[in-house]
């Protein structure tokens, strides 16, 4: 049990008649990096969002570090605070500066003092390489800078797990690398990460496992080597040929 | 070649980019405002020079304190009511949601002057009866008409403001709430620290408009014999039959207040827009 920090058991999520998740089971080992790929609408985001219960599954269970999210006794807010999430569209708080974006939840959730939250925020900003933007509002940051602030904001909560939902797909090509570099660093340091992305360079460099999803199911679960050199399923091959041209 | 280059440089001085909206032509002056100011000044001169106007003015202006205080107090209470009701309207809790919706729809369906009577003469006594039934000793005569006027106006405007707050909250993208929740913030904290600060900023112009409207609608409290400027004008004209003087003074008093308030609101709005946040 202690080995798997995330256990997803037979997860279903329906939106009306749409089966966004159609029986998904997955274990994620502590410290490992799992990359999730698959065509649009295959349920990648839904699965990711079930991991911190931004989306509540129709049935099935999610266990985080030995705690079942579906059991009524568990305080979801506390569990969510331990799981960082980075969104495709950054979702920074536009009324706050970069620094304030990072200190707010530290103060409101972690009960840290202003001074402590600030120190940690500056530390995280330095780590993602934009310390000089501390007092800038999100509207005045480039996409790549915004996404790095978003990562810093998540890291400031000292998460056990980081979830990324297509973190670079809204970015101009020249900014993708600066975000991927931060993510690679994180992976190297041993952060548990579940990353929905089609950046195969990242998958190759960092992934311990790659999951291919289609129509709400996990079609193939393999290593980067296995995926690129020896894909098992027709749908995987077709999808790879589409994104690797 | 070289000559051409030079001559081009000479004939093309770097032009400044001119924002046409910044140029004051005679067309862009607020002539309507100048006309208004002239009328107000003329009236002021009239008040100074003509005894009848002066008398009417001195009588009616005694109600200005009541008008201003009722408008401000009612508006502050209405903001609180509106915020709570607006949150109730977006609540997923069926009970809370229906109570809030009932309140808004009930009040929207009744003309305001009828509501003023209804709340002051039906609503308040009914609540007093309930409180008596609960053993709280309170009598109808303990609640003066001024208080009932404030209750009536705040409850009425609370319903309007609820819709403004609801729209403001709903205008904030879903991603904001999700980002806040993903950081471990409760729904309440996310509302307070993330959603509401942005929503309120968005609806500030609408709130300003409604305050101006509230100043005007505060004249309805004269129906309850509360001594605001409208009531004073009624009393004055009723006893002197100088309707012309009384209602000139009254109209221009409201006009002065609303024009000044609107200008202030405009200023604030503009400043916020140039601040960018
Ligand atoms: N909130 C929602 N309401 C209705 N349908 C949804 C919602 N979220 C996702 N879906 C549907 O569920 C399916 C999976 O969506 P999603 O998990 O976002 O896929 P992916 O991230 O792989 O593109 C899609 O068909 C999508 O239309
Ligand atoms: Mg998606």
């Amino acid at each position: 049990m202690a080995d798997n920090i995330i256990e997803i058991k037979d997860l279903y999520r329906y939106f009306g008649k749409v089966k966004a998740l159609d029986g998904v089971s997955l274990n994620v080992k502590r410290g490992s990096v799992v990359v999730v790929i698959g065509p649009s609408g295959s349920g990648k985001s839904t699965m990711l969002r079930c991991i911190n219960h931004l989306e509540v599954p129709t049935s099935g269970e999610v266990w985080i570090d030995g705690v079942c999210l579906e059991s009524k006794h568990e305080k979801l807010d506390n569990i969510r605070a331990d799981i960082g999430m980075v969104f495709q569209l950054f979702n920074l708080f536009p009324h706050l500066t970069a620094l304030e974006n990072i200190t707010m939840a530290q103060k409101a959730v972690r009960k840290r003092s202003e001074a402590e939250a600030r120190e940690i925020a500056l530390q995280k900003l330095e780590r993602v390489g934009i310390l000089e933007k501390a007092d800038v509002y999100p509207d005045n940051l480039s996409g790549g800078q915004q996404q790095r602030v978003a990562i810093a904001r998540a890291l400031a909560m000292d998460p056990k797990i980081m979830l990324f939902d297509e973190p670079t797909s809204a970015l101009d090509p020249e900014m993708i690398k600066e975000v991927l570099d931060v993510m690679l660093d994180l992976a190297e340091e041993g952060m548990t990460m579940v990353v929905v992305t089609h950046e195969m360079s990242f998958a190759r460099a960092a992934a311990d496992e790659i999951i291919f999803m289609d129509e709400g199911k996990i079609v193939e679960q393999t290593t980067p080597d296995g995926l690129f050199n020896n894909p098992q399923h027709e749908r995987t091959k077709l999808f790879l040929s589409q994104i690797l041209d | 070649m070289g000559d051409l280059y030079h001559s081009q440089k000479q004939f093309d001085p770097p032009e400044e980019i001119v924002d046409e909206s910044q140029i004051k032509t005679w067309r862009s002056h607020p002539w309507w405002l100048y006309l208004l100011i002239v009328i107000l000044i003329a009236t002021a001169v009239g008040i100074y020079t003509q005894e009848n106007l002066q008398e009417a003015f001195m009588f009616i202006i005694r109600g200005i304190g009541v008008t201003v205080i009722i408008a401000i107090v009612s508006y502050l209470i209405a903001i609180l009511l509106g915020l709570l009701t607006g949150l109730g309207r977006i609540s997923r809790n069926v009970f809370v949601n229906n109570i809030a919706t009932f309140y808004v729809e009930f009040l929207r369906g009744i003309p305001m002057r009828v509501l003023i009577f209804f709340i002051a003469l039906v609503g308040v006594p009914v609540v007093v009866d309930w409180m008596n039934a609960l053993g709280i000793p309170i009598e109808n005569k303990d609640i003066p008409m001024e208080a009932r006027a404030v209750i009536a106006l705040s409850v009425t405007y609370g319903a309007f403001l609820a819709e403004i707050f609801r729209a403001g909250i709903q205008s904030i993208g879903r991603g904001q709430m999700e980002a806040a929740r993903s950081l471990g913030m409760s729904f309440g904290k996310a509302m307070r620290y993330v959603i509401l600060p942005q929503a309120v900023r968005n609806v500030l112009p609408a709130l300003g408009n409604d305050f101006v409207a509230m100043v005007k609608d505060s004249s309805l409290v004269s129906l309850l014999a509360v001594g605001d400027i409208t009531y004073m004008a009624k009393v004055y004209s009723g006893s002197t039959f100088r309707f012309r003087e009384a209602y000139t003074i009254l109209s221009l008093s409201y006009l002065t207040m609303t024009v000044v308030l609107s200008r202030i609101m405009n200023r604030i709005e503009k400043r916020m827009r140039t601040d960018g946040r």
Side-chain angles (χ1 to χ4, degrees):
Chain A
M1 181 206 89
D3 237 27
N4 291 326
I5 191 165
I6 305 172
E7 292 185 18
I8 298 173
K9 297 179 181 169
D10 212 19
L11 214 56
Y12 288 81
R13 177 59 164 114
Y14 300 158
F15 293 104
K17 284 199 173 135
V18 177
K19 288 183 179 175
L21 290 183
D22 193 12
V24 167
S25 298
L26 175 70
N27 293 333
V28 177
K29 288 203 183 62
R30 198 181 299 275
S32 70
V33 175
V34 176
V35 164
V36 183
I37 60 174
S40 169
S42 58
K44 306 179 300 292
S45 296
T46 306
M47 181 184 77
L48 205 65
R49 293 155 56 81
C50 281
I51 294 176
N52 64 355
H53 262 220
L54 280 186
E55 205 75 74
V56 180
T58 308
S59 71
E61 289 178 355
V62 177
W63 291 70
I64 301 294
D65 221 357
V67 176
C68 176
L69 300 198
E70 283 74 24
S71 76
K72 291 275 178 233
H73 318 288
E74 290 312 328
K75 197 123 170 33
L76 263 181
D77 290 335
N78 295 338
I79 296 169
R80 284 206 188 101
D82 289 341
I83 305 177
M85 189 163 203
V86 175
F87 302 85
Q88 181 174 10
L89 297 175
F90 331 131
N91 293 349
L92 290 182
F93 307 132
H95 61 302
L96 302 176
T97 62
L99 185 87
E100 290 164 346
N101 261 277
I102 305 172
T103 55
M104 193 232 282
Q106 292 189 62
K107 292 186 283 182
V109 177
R110 291 280 188 238
K111 307 291 175 208
R112 290 178 186 150
S113 71
E114 170 75 38
E116 191 187 359
R118 197 185 146 81
E119 197 187 311
I120 293 171
L122 291 172
Q123 208 176 299
K124 301 301 176 193
L125 275 174
E126 183 164 23
R127 166 169 193 177
V128 299
I130 39 175
L131 186 56
E132 73 280 6
K133 299 291 183 187
D135 295 321
V136 176
Y137 285 92
D139 286 350
N140 299 325
L141 293 173
S142 72
Q145 292 168 337
Q146 287 191 52
Q147 194 61 297
R148 285 188 282 161
V149 173
I151 294 172
R153 176 175 72 177
L155 290 178
M157 302 298 284
D158 302 326
K160 298 193 262 194
I161 300 165
M162 287 284 288
L163 309 175
F164 295 81
D165 193 356
E166 306 205 31
T168 58
S169 62
L171 297 178
D172 293 335
E174 69 271 19
M175 294 171 186
I176 290 177
K177 187 173 178 302
E178 66 191 48
V179 172
L180 289 182
D181 283 348
V182 171
M183 292 167 61
L184 285 170
D185 275 355
L186 263 182
E188 204 138 297
E189 285 170 25
M191 174 66 77
T192 307
M193 296 164 70
V194 182
V195 184
V196 176
T197 186
H198 292 152
E199 290 297 330
M200 288 303 138
S201 65
F202 177 81
R204 247 187 257 268
D208 297 301
E209 273 188 301
I210 297 195
I211 284 162
F212 175 67
M213 286 185 75
D214 196 19
E215 296 179 349
K217 291 188 167 75
I218 293 181
V219 174
E220 188 153 350
Q221 180 169 359
T222 178
T223 58
D225 266 354
L227 183 81
F228 295 118
N229 302 329
N230 188 21
Q232 297 297 308
H233 296 262
E234 276 313 311
R235 279 188 286 180
T236 318
K237 288 176 195 166
L238 186 66
F239 179 74
L240 282 175
S241 71
Q242 281 164 354
I243 61 166
L244 290 178
D245 55 9
Chain B
M1 257 326 252
D3 273 3
L4 192 63
Y5 177 71
H6 272 282
S7 63
Q8 267 190 348
K9 255 209 150 168
Q10 270 172 6
F11 286 109
D12 280 340
E15 250 181 278
E16 285 201 11
I17 299 159
V18 180
D19 181 357
E20 292 201 10
S21 66
Q22 294 292 315
I23 307 173
K24 278 248 168 186
T25 65
W26 67 272
R27 283 169 159 277
S28 63
H29 276 269
W31 294 107
W32 61 272
L33 185 62
Y34 301 159
L35 181 60
L36 264 177
I37 291 171
V38 168
I39 291 175
L40 291 178
I41 290 174
T43 313
V45 171
I47 290 170
Y48 197 69
T49 54
Q50 292 179 38
E51 218 172 293
N52 286 351
L53 261 185
Q54 189 167 33
E55 194 185 279
F57 177 77
M58 296 312 279
F59 192 92
I60 291 168
I61 210 65
R62 292 197 309 218
I64 195 74
V66 173
T67 292
V68 168
I69 288 171
I70 283 188
I72 291 176
V73 173
S74 303
Y75 200 67
L76 291 179
I77 299 173
I79 282 185
L80 205 70
L81 269 176
L83 188 54
L84 290 177
T85 311
L87 287 170
R89 290 270 283 157
I90 57 166
S91 168
R92 290 213 195 114
N93 181 314
V94 177
F95 179 74
V96 171
N97 186 296
N98 275 281
I99 294 279
T101 308
F102 175 82
Y103 166 47
V104 170
E105 295 297 337
F106 185 93
L107 289 181
R108 279 209 302 205
I110 302 174
M112 202 180 296
R113 56 168 49 222
V114 177
L115 264 179
I116 300 287
F117 282 126
F118 180 80
I119 293 169
L121 306 177
V122 182
V124 168
V126 165
V127 172
V128 165
D129 285 349
W130 288 347
M131 289 172 101
N132 286 338
L134 288 173
I136 302 165
I138 187 167
E139 284 181 57
N140 271 312
K141 66 172 166 48
D142 293 341
I143 306 173
M145 276 302 165
E146 285 79 3
R148 294 180 198 216
V150 167
I151 293 170
L153 277 179
S154 2
V155 169
T156 308
Y157 265 73
F160 298 158
L161 297 190
E163 289 304 90
I164 292 180
F165 280 118
R166 181 180 64 81
I169 293 167
Q170 285 177 335
S171 74
I172 306 301
R174 221 169 64 133
Q176 292 289 304
M177 178 56 91
E178 292 187 345
R181 298 306 301 269
S182 79
L183 289 163
M185 301 172 87
S186 63
F187 178 85
K189 280 179 186 162
M191 264 294 158
R192 183 166 150 213
Y193 296 117
V194 176
I195 307 296
L196 283 180
Q198 297 180 59
V200 167
R201 192 177 291 276
N202 287 353
V203 301
L204 224 46
L207 291 181
N209 277 343
D210 265 29
F211 181 58
V212 175
M214 165 77 93
V215 168
K216 288 188 287 179
D217 282 335
S218 74
S219 69
L220 288 171
V221 304
S222 65
L223 295 171
L224 303 175
V226 171
D228 75 328
I229 51 176
T230 302
Y231 185 73
M232 298 310 260
K234 254 191 239 179
V235 170
Y236 181 76
S237 57
S239 60
T240 60
F241 297 104
R242 292 201 194 108
F243 292 99
R244 200 183 285 196
E245 289 84 351
Y247 285 99
T248 301
I249 296 289
L250 182 64
S251 300
L252 294 182
S253 303
Y254 280 115
L255 196 56
T256 309
M257 285 190 282
T258 52
V259 167
V260 169
L261 277 176
S262 303
R263 294 262 114 187
I264 295 175
M265 304 293 174
N266 267 346
R267 260 313 140 71
I268 295 174
E269 212 178 305
K270 234 177 233 158
R271 179 165 321 153
M272 284 193 21
R273 222 176 303 141
T274 51
D275 278 358
R277 47 190 42 87

